[in-house]
Amino acid sequence: MDNNSVTGMLDTMIIGGGQAGLTLGYHLKEQQRNFLILDANQRAGDAWRQRWDSLRVFTPAKYDGLPGEPFPADPLSFPTKDELAGYLEGYAERNALPVLHGTRVERLWREGGHFVAASNGRRWEARNAVVATGVSQEPKVPAFATYLAAGTVQFHSAAYRNPGQLQDGPVLVVGLGNSGAEIALEVSRTHQTIAAGKPGGELPVKHGRTAARYALPIVRFLGLHVLTLDTPVGRKAAPAFKAHAAPLIRTKTKDLAAAGVRLVPRVTGVEDGQPVLADGTRLEVANVIWCTGFRDDFSWIDPELLDGGALPRQHRGVALDTPGLFFLGQEFLYAAASATLPGAGRDARYLAGKIPQLGRIDVLPMRQ
Ligand SMILES: Cc1cc2nc3c(=O)[nH]c(=O)nc-3n(C[C@H](O)[C@H](O)[C@H](O)COP(=O)(O)OP(=O)(O)OC[C@H]3O[C@@H](n4cnc5c(N)ncnc54)[C@H](O)[C@@H]3O)c2cc1C
């Protein structure tokens, strides 16, 4: 189908065609709904392709499949990011999901009881709008990064591909979440490496096939069924989940120490062009990789649909003050696993049951 030919009032537009948007598309297709997925990237799976070269997912293949299609790999293996990207691309094709690629929605607003999305001079109208643009929208870098000496090579983990991007000399990896730990271990093979920060805990078992068989099913169960908005322990944990990095899963601090990575306190500023740590130490480094996470970027959504520029009041992705507006793939939308592959399917299925259908009479069929 040529998605450019979709015309008229849509039942639903999904903004973002990563795993969250595609999964919701799968369920809407099952319901024979008139919907369109608008995605900024050129190909399904690009969000994964754009991550660093050596990235392998933490979640075993048995948990990486989306509804209707298991991930085609040894269930206890950990797919590469390109295998995952290929799977998502194939998923969109095999399920004939209507995705319009290369379409970054620049504005979303409400007009006369429906939603309008605009991109590059075109506009789409729908009774329902779902924001599924992911949690890695805007790389977060401290403002003092601009004071690093001009010769310092610095970039965010979102721009990291491999150690070939670095110049000779020591590397400082700032932030000890999973990205920071994995990148620090990789660059330590070619560069003297310092990792700054404190991890938000560590998975107490070694990651790998044995963990995939015995320990990760427990982690998955906790993330899907125990730490949810429906349990007291989940409601208590939710703010911390949103605010802090996840515990280290594969690369732990002892692995970093064994690889010769120097672990130091967090970076608090820059003096004379060099990073300064919380204990006052000034480091002499040639490269800095900011593994400092991401922030939401909803600047393209009409502020009237948001709460002070942030996610509005919602329950499991259903906006409470704006009928027809939905969110998917956000951190702890319903459970600790909400923004991961194992959590994507359930949240999408729930939302698909909540998105009101257009009366048949209003539906303009998609042109083939
Ligand atoms: C480094 C890293 C490793 C991870 N490893 C794992 C793992 O091992 N296992 C696991 O389960 N999860 C993992 N995750 C978490 C999660 O599964 C991924 O972040 C996943 O990509 C989220 O899917 P998504 O569909 O919510 O968002 P994304 O994959 O980010 O997709 C969002 C889509 O929206 C599009 N978009 C954004 N803004 C607009 C706009 N304005 N208009 C149109 N389109 C737009 C983007 O182009 C993109 O295609 C990892 C995340 C990161 C960052």
Side-chain angles (χ1 to χ4, degrees), residues 116-159:
V116 186
S119 173
N120 202 16
R122 295 189 64 193
R123 52 185 267 157
W124 294 266
E125 298 184 351
R127 294 290 163 88
N128 305 296
V130 183
V131 176
T133 46
V135 285
S136 358
Q137 294 164 2
E138 177 86 12
K140 212 162 55 175
V141 174
F144 55 70
T146 53
Y147 300 115
L148 284 176
T152 311
V153 168
Q154 59 163 323
F155 46 80
H156 188 268
S157 61

Side-chain angles (χ1 to χ4, degrees), residues 92-113:
E93 278 166 19
R94 285 184 291 275
N95 291 295
L97 299 177
V99 189
L100 194 55
H101 284 292
T103 307
R104 176 170 294 281
V105 173
E106 290 144 5
R107 279 184 66 210
L108 174 72
W109 71 97
R110 214 162 119 92
E111 196 174 278

